[in-house]
């Protein structure tokens, strides 16, 4: 066991002469916080029809209840990671958790749609502070190799199951308590975690580093993504070639270019471009982005299909998604062992192939389908998404030094969340465009909706399969071996397990 003084500023979680930290106890609390933020990405999905009816949302604006959270979550993760490294990871984790909990309470009390969307954005900001701080603490508590792979394997399984668990929890709470209790649950869990954090979680930060931040980088990248998602979501109404759509997409591209220019010149960049020299890190983040776009888009569209076409209740929809989550949990252990014994990219490619195939299988679900006949097979198969989340979480931190721990942790989660925000917008737009086209041709609304959802499933499935060549091209086994050798040479006596 590593003894750590929680009152001191530690670099890399190194031993201190006093105090005592149980790493797996600390990991458990951090994992609960991570699970809470992962669940909140899609916990409102099955409640959207109810929220829309009670708060008088326009149908086209419902996706913003999900997207507002995802955009601020993904857009500010890098800034959250930088702040964690400089200010103290436990301190920043605590501040983010307090903001997330308070915003959850405000969401529960919302009485109109605009307020709810704004507060969902604030909630995403809190999650963006919590997550990189939590993951960088985990990274610094466990040495690279089998021990860290075990911890990150569990971390990846939590991420993979969080989305589907969110849909199930959202369905149950909406059915038996009411949609505000989706957010009241966060208040209870977040409050308990806040009370335990100082006693359980060790503090660490970069010693001797100047406190320089990059707010302009955070603002430009987040603004670029908000504008991009807005342009995509409004394109079916305004037209893809309309002046407004083209102008908004051009502005988004310009802001992204400005972000890259800022990062190249900043003294303390939000995203140090040198990190992308680590090809395994770059590849894992690219796969993570496509994974988010594919999987979150799939869950969003699949939920709409079950509720709008099959007539499922919120509770039944949540129970249906449980098949994906349970499969992911069962496969988490084998995935972690295979990563350690074989290679990251082989497990990742297998997961991408099976998940993509499962999503494409869902394109065969008819307008008058049933769960066991038409959805159970695709859902069980897409439960292999755990085999992507786990190696992506490990590969994104390979070779990363302690000074970049928070940034790297924020980067991989940012890639997945931003991919999810864009994937949901693209899938929603594709479905809406195809549905409108079919309906104007004389198809019944149920048939038109089904055709639109099928097209969106095709897009989501092909995005997952497109990540396979990226995994093989960029992720290298030699990077992992070299990084492990270097880091082990710097640690004379690895800390024994709890």
């Amino acid at each position: 066991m590593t003894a750590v003084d929680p009152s001191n500023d530690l670099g890399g979680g190194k031993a201190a002469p006093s105090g005592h930290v149980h790493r797996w106890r600390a990991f458990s609390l951090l994992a609960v916080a991570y699970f809470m933020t992962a669940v909140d990405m899609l916990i409102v999905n099955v409640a959207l029809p109810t929220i829309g009816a009670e708060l008088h949302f326009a149908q086209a604006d419902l996706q913003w209840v999900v997207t507002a959270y995802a955009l601020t979550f993904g857009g500010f993760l890098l800034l959250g990671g930088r702040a964690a490294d400089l200010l103290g990871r436990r301190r920043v984790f605590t501040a983010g958790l307090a903001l997330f909990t308070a915003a959850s309470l405000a969401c529960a009390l919302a009485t109109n749609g605009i307020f709810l969307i704004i507060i969902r954005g604030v909630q995403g900001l809190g999650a963006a502070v919590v997550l990189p701080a939590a993951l960088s603490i985990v990274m610094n508590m466990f040495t690279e190799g089998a021990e860290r792979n075990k911890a990150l394997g569990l971390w990846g399984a939590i991420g993979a199951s969080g989305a589907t668990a969110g849909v199930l929890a959202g369905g149950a709470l909406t059915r038996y308590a009411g949609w505000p209790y989706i957010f009241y649950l966060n208040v209870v869990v977040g409050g308990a975690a806040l009370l335990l954090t100082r006693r359980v979680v060790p503090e660490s930060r970069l010693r001797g580093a100047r406190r320089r931040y990059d707010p302009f980088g955070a603002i430009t990248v987040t603004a670029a993504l908000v504008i991009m998602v807005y342009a995509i979501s409004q394109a079916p109404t305004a037209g893809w070639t309309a002046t407004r759509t083209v102008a908004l997409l051009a502005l988004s591209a310009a802001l992204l270019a400005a972000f890259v220019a800022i990062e190249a010149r900043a003294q303390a960049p939000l995203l140090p471009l040198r990190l992308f020299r680590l090809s395994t890190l770059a590849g894992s983040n690219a796969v993570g982005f496509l994974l988010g776009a594919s999987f979150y888009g799939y869950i969003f569209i699949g939920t709409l299909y079950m509720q709008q076409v099959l007539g499922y209740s919120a509770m039944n929809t949540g129970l249906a998604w449980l098949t994906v989550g349970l499969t992911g949990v069962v496969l988490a252990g084998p995935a972690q062992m295979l990563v350690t014994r074989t290679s990251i990219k082989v497990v990742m490619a297998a997961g991408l192939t099976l998940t993509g195939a499962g999503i494409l299988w869902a394109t065969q679900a008819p307008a008058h389908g049933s769960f066991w006949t038409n959805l159970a097979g695709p859902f069980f198969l897409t439960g292999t998404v755990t085999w992507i989340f786990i190696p992506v979480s490990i590969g994104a931190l390979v070779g990363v030094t302690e000074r970049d721990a928070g940034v790297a942790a924020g980067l991989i989660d940012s890639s997945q969340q931003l991919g999810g925000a864009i994937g949901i917008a693209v899938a929603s737009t594709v479905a809406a465009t195809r549905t409108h086209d079919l309906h104007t041709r004389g198809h019944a609304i149920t048939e038109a909706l089904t055709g639109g959802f099928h097209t969106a499933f095709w897009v989501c499935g092909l995005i997952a399969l497109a990540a396979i060549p990226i995994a093989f091209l960029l992720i290298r086994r030699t990077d992992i071996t070299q990084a492990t050798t270097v880091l082990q040479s710097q640690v004379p006596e690895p800390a024994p397990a709890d």
Side-chain angles (χ1 to χ4, degrees):
M1 180 79 65
T2 303
V4 182
D5 181 358
S7 65
N8 290 343
D9 294 337
L10 305 177
K14 296 185 185 303
S18 64
H20 194 67
V21 170
H22 296 272
R23 289 173 301 160
W24 287 107
R25 186 184 300 171
F27 177 88
S28 298
L29 188 145
L30 296 169
V32 167
Y34 173 39
F35 184 76
M36 186 169 60
T37 61
V39 160
D40 250 63
M41 174 70 172
L42 290 173
I43 194 171
V44 300
N45 250 33
V46 295
L48 286 180
T50 305
I51 292 173
E54 292 189 11
L55 300 186
H56 309 293
F57 265 105
Q59 181 69 23
D61 294 334
L62 280 177
Q63 69 145 325
W64 284 99
V65 180
V66 178
T67 305
Y69 178 84
L71 283 173
T72 53
F73 192 177
F76 286 97
L77 273 165
L78 294 174
L79 186 60
R82 180 68 177 164
D85 287 339
L86 296 179
L87 294 176
R89 298 181 178 107
R90 186 184 65 190
R91 180 183 299 172
V92 170
F93 171 81
T94 303
L97 190 58
L99 178 61
F100 181 88
T101 304
S104 296
L105 178 60
C107 286
L109 300 174
T111 56
N112 67 75
I114 297 300
F115 179 78
L116 179 60
I117 290 174
I118 292 172
I119 297 301
R120 280 285 283 172
V122 176
Q123 193 186 28
L125 178 61
V129 176
V130 167
L131 192 49
L135 185 52
S136 59
I137 292 171
V138 170
M139 180 182 172
N140 283 286
M141 286 194 302
F142 298 94
T143 56
E144 186 155 355
E147 185 181 48
R148 186 186 291 176
N149 285 356
K150 180 180 178 181
L152 294 180
L154 292 171
W155 196 264
I158 290 167
S161 62
T164 51
V167 178
L168 174 61
L173 290 169
T174 301
R175 170 66 177 83
Y176 294 109
W179 69 264
Y181 286 85
I182 290 171
F183 302 108
Y184 283 133
L185 178 63
N186 291 337
V187 177
V188 174
V189 176
L194 282 170
L195 292 174
L196 293 172
T197 295
R198 186 167 182 82
R199 294 178 56 190
V200 173
V201 178
E203 180 62 288
S204 66
R205 74 172 69 171
L206 290 178
R207 292 176 293 188
R210 292 187 61 183
R211 294 183 179 179
R212 293 177 176 173
Y213 304 94
D214 183 15
F216 293 110
I219 292 169
T220 52
V221 71
T222 304
L225 293 163
V226 169
I227 292 169
M228 180 190 299
V229 170
Y230 179 77
I232 292 171
S233 64
Q234 297 299 308
T237 303
W240 282 99
T241 58
T243 301
R244 186 179 74 171
T245 303
V246 173
L248 287 173
L249 291 174
L251 177 58
S252 175
L255 286 170
L256 286 174
F259 171 71
V260 174
I262 290 170
E263 300 312 285
R265 293 172 173 78
Q267 290 185 333
L270 187 67
L271 176 57
L273 299 181
R274 56 182 164 74
L275 285 177
F276 291 102
R277 296 173 188 166
L278 300 170
S279 64
T280 296
L281 178 147
S284 296
N285 276 277
V287 171
F289 178 86
L290 295 176
L291 168 62
S294 173
F295 189 61
Y296 288 130
Y298 166 64
I299 291 179
F300 187 85
I301 295 299
T303 299
L304 294 180
Y305 166 74
M306 285 187 281
Q307 291 188 317
Q308 295 182 2
V309 176
L310 301 184
Y312 281 21
S313 67
M315 185 63 191
N316 287 340
T317 302
L319 288 172
W321 282 117
L322 184 61
T323 56
V324 179
L326 289 177
T327 305
V329 170
V330 170
L331 293 177
Q336 185 270 325
M337 289 187 292
L338 285 172
V339 166
T340 301
R341 296 178 182 178
T342 58
S343 72
I344 284 177
K345 64 183 175 183
V346 169
V347 178
M348 192 183 295
L352 287 166
T353 301
L354 294 171
T355 300
I359 296 173
L360 294 180
W361 188 358
T363 62
Q364 305 304 308
H368 302 288
S370 66
F371 174 75
W372 289 109
T373 303
N374 305 111
L375 292 178
F379 280 14
F380 280 120
L381 193 57
T382 51
T384 55
V385 72
T386 304
W387 288 27
I388 315 171
F389 273 103
I390 289 176
V392 159
S393 298
I394 295 171
L397 297 176
V398 165
V400 175
T401 61
E402 191 268 339
R403 72 170 173 163
D404 292 324
V407 174
L411 179 59
I412 184 56
D413 290 306
S414 181
S415 298
Q416 293 174 6
Q417 295 298 327
L418 294 177
I422 294 173
I424 289 172
V426 169
S428 299
T429 300
V430 167
T433 302
R434 180 60 175 162
T435 298
H436 179 266
D437 180 56
L438 291 173
H439 193 45
T440 55
R441 293 183 185 182
H443 291 265
I445 186 60
T446 302
E447 297 289 343
L449 283 169
T450 303
F453 295 148
H454 283 176
T455 305
F457 284 145
W458 274 105
V459 171
C460 293
L462 293 175
I463 289 173
L465 296 178
I468 297 173
I470 294 175
F472 278 104
L473 287 172
L474 293 181
I475 296 175
R476 302 173 183 172
R477 188 179 182 89
T478 54
D479 289 350
I480 301 166
T481 303
Q482 290 173 0
T484 302
T485 301
V486 170
L487 288 174
Q488 286 179 344
S489 69
Q490 297 172 351
V491 183
E493 291 186 10
D498 294 339

